[in-house]
Amino acid sequence: MSGPLAEVLDGQRQADLQRAVRALLKVPLLTADGPHSDDFRLVRRHTTELREWFERNVGWALRTDADAARLRKTPGTFTDATHPAREAARTALPFTRRRYVLLCLTLAALERGESQVALGRLAEQVVLAAADPELVAAGITFTLERRDERLDLAAVVRLLLRLGVLRRVAGDEEAYVSGSGDVLYDVRRRVLAGMPATLRGPSMVEAEGFDERLVEMASQTALDSEEHRFRAIRWKLTRCLLDDPVLYYDDLTDDELAYLTRQRGFITARINELTGLVPEVRAEGIAMVDPLDDLTDVRMPEQGTHGHLTLLLAGHLARAAGPVEPAELEALVRELAVQHAGFWSKSAREPGAEPELVEQALTKLVALGLAERTQQGVVPRPALARYAVGEPVIKETGPAPHHPAARPDPAVRENPKDKR
């Protein structure tokens, strides 16, 4: 019985490894007492194997201790702005530029502070840090006297609560926003120390431009050898396949495309082995499809008015021969609102709602790699073709199945699972 038992144990170990790596891809910061505590324990159990795989295939460092597991992810493409931090609330709105600045100032204040902090005291430290002449010169000022500024700080704090950096002891953020109370937090310093995902500290970066600074903060030590150049290419390709909905060949350099052409089977097999993602290879690129449908932060299709509208606009863009102006899409939304009045929400049918509805739909399509914004308009990308609706084909009803003439050709078989 040792053979079958060994197979069962090996299968269970592989399933645990897959669950652990998927948990880290979804939530790169897991805490021992957070909502993903079971996943944290799995990661701790398989830390050695996970760390080795991430370092070899993706160039990401995995740090674990008794409090947290932190996968220091860096993106394959630094210009992709479709994965923003979001409110830890039902609306899940993306962070604005001001909230990102507040987040950085808050983390800096917490790093210099004590093991406990009141929100009011934290706000004072943030205001002092925001008085830096370079921030003022960049047009960034905070007084936290206005309600909208206090709401921004509360949104930052709630994000840190969700990540496990802070633990609420007493009070509520709403009381602080309204000016009727304060909040006390425990600062979890080990979790706080794991927040930065850069390889180099921002203060050590000498580049001036924003994009250049991002690249320099995440760049490895440059070694001029063919082996290290190929490793850097492999890391970038694997990062894109893990993080992005689609990897288009047109977005790659000649060297990257040549390497992917040679090593595609190896790279996709390694990803499939550890994550369960299945490669879908097309003439234009590669998508790693998730059979479990839980490794995405943007879903399509979705129920509701916005989900329906996004599908309809996707079909329209898929049929377009070239760039489509937003004004054309807004006019289409006005027509669709009349056609589907019985199914859409009242707010979506209000006059003047079209620009916001189009913007929400395009944001999702761009994030999924299905469309691209250009100066000429919105351009459909190849993967959008899967949402194109063809002309209906009406087939005449044939003889009853029991009739000899109705027997199917044994060489022709339908595949009900083929959804392409």
Side-chain angles (χ1 to χ4, degrees):
M1 295 181 61
S2 59
L5 179 58
E7 292 179 5
V8 170
L9 293 176
D10 188 61
Q12 182 61 50
R13 173 185 159 279
Q14 187 64 29
D16 287 346
L17 267 174
Q18 187 175 113
R19 179 181 164 189
V21 73
R22 290 171 69 92
L24 285 169
L25 291 175
K26 288 187 290 186
V27 186
L29 178 56
L30 300 170
T31 55
D33 58 352
H36 307 284
S37 57
D38 291 343
D39 293 329
F40 167 79
R41 285 190 287 273
L42 271 180
V43 171
R44 284 273 286 175
R45 188 184 311 160
H46 299 285
T47 293
T48 302
E49 293 166 282
L50 293 171
R51 181 182 290 129
E52 180 184 347
W53 192 92
F54 280 120
E55 288 180 352
R56 183 175 65 250
N57 294 282
V58 204
W60 293 340
L62 174 63
R63 182 188 65 83
T64 61
D65 56 37
D67 294 329
R70 174 63 160 133
L71 179 63
R72 298 180 185 272
K73 294 174 62 178
T74 50
T77 306
F78 292 100
T79 57
D80 183 5
T82 61
H83 304 285
R86 294 185 177 274
E87 289 182 348
R90 189 173 180 180
T91 54
L93 294 175
F95 265 36
T96 59
R97 179 171 179 258
R98 183 165 70 177
R99 288 187 178 183
Y100 275 119
V101 175
L102 270 177
L103 174 61
C104 294
L105 295 177
T106 300
L107 291 172
L110 292 173
E111 180 64 30
R112 295 190 296 265
E114 304 296 332
S115 59
Q116 280 195 333
V117 65
L119 183 51
R121 174 59 179 162
L122 181 61
E124 294 173 1
Q125 296 172 342
V126 168
V127 170
L128 288 174
D132 184 283
E134 293 189 11
L135 289 178
V136 175
I140 298 171
T141 58
F142 295 109
T143 63
L144 296 179
E145 295 177 355
R146 303 196 313 267
R147 177 180 173 83
D148 63 320
E149 290 184 329
R150 295 196 297 274
L151 279 170
D152 284 340
L153 182 59
V156 167
V157 167
R158 287 180 179 132
L159 176 63
L160 296 178
L161 285 167
R162 185 179 68 186
L163 292 173
V165 175
L166 298 176
R167 182 187 290 129
R168 191 186 294 111
V169 177
D172 183 79
E173 290 78 31
E174 288 299 329
Y176 166 77
V177 172
S178 63
S180 61
D182 208 341
V183 198
L184 181 65
Y185 305 102
D186 284 335
V187 182
R188 307 179 66 187
R189 308 204 66 81
R190 285 188 177 181
V191 182
L192 173 64
M195 282 294 292
T198 61
L199 297 176
R200 302 176 62 187
S203 61
M204 304 297 293
V205 174
E206 298 179 356
E208 294 294 333
F210 178 74
D211 292 339
E212 292 78 9
R213 288 180 64 84
L214 282 179
V215 172
E216 194 169 328
M217 282 192 294
S219 62
Q220 298 275 358
T221 302
L223 295 175
D224 190 14
S225 72
E226 189 173 78
E227 178 185 351
H228 288 91
R229 286 192 295 105
F230 285 157
R231 184 184 66 180
I233 292 175
R234 183 177 73 250
W235 283 355
K236 176 184 176 178
L237 296 174
T238 308
R239 290 171 183 178
C240 291
L241 288 170
L242 285 173
D243 262 356
D244 301 337
V246 186
L247 174 62
Y248 287 109
Y249 301 142
D250 289 346
D251 295 335
L252 303 177
T253 65
D254 292 341
D255 288 344
E256 292 165 352
L257 181 57
Y259 184 88
L260 181 60
T261 302
R262 296 192 306 269
Q263 301 293 329
R264 183 186 68 198
F266 171 78
I267 293 175
T268 56
R270 295 303 298 270
I271 295 176
N272 171 260
E273 177 186 5
L274 199 65
T275 67
L277 297 175
V278 180
E280 181 177 305
V281 182
R282 300 286 177 146
E284 302 86 3
I286 305 173
M288 298 301 297
V289 180
D290 182 16
L292 302 181
D293 190 30
D294 67 349
L295 274 184
T296 181
D297 53 352
V298 181
R299 281 184 168 79
M300 182 176 170
E302 283 187 317
Q303 295 182 346
T305 300
H306 293 297
H308 185 204
L309 172 61
T310 303
L311 271 179
L312 293 174
L313 292 185
H316 179 79
L317 288 170
R319 294 189 298 271
V324 179
E325 291 286 347
E328 178 182 334
L329 297 177
E330 293 171 14
L332 176 62
V333 169
R334 283 192 289 271
E335 298 176 6
L336 294 173
V338 176
Q339 296 177 22
H340 305 283
F343 305 98
W344 285 16
S345 64
K346 182 179 179 181
S347 60
R349 291 183 276 116
E350 293 289 337
E354 297 86 4
E356 182 179 353
L357 293 173
V358 169
E359 177 61 29
Q360 290 178 349
L362 290 181
T363 298
K364 176 169 288 190
L365 294 176
V366 171
L368 290 171
L370 302 176
E372 183 179 16
R373 301 177 194 259
T374 67
Q375 293 182 348
Q376 292 74 32
V378 182
V379 178
R381 304 213 71 181
L384 190 65
R386 66 172 56 233
Y387 296 99
V389 179
E391 294 296 327
V393 178
I394 301 176
K395 296 183 178 180
E396 295 183 2
T397 304
H402 65 273
H403 194 280
R407 291 175 182 172
D409 185 340
V412 179
R413 300 188 182 277
E414 294 182 357
N415 182 7
K417 295 183 180 180
D418 188 357
K419 300 181 181 179
R420 299 182 187 178

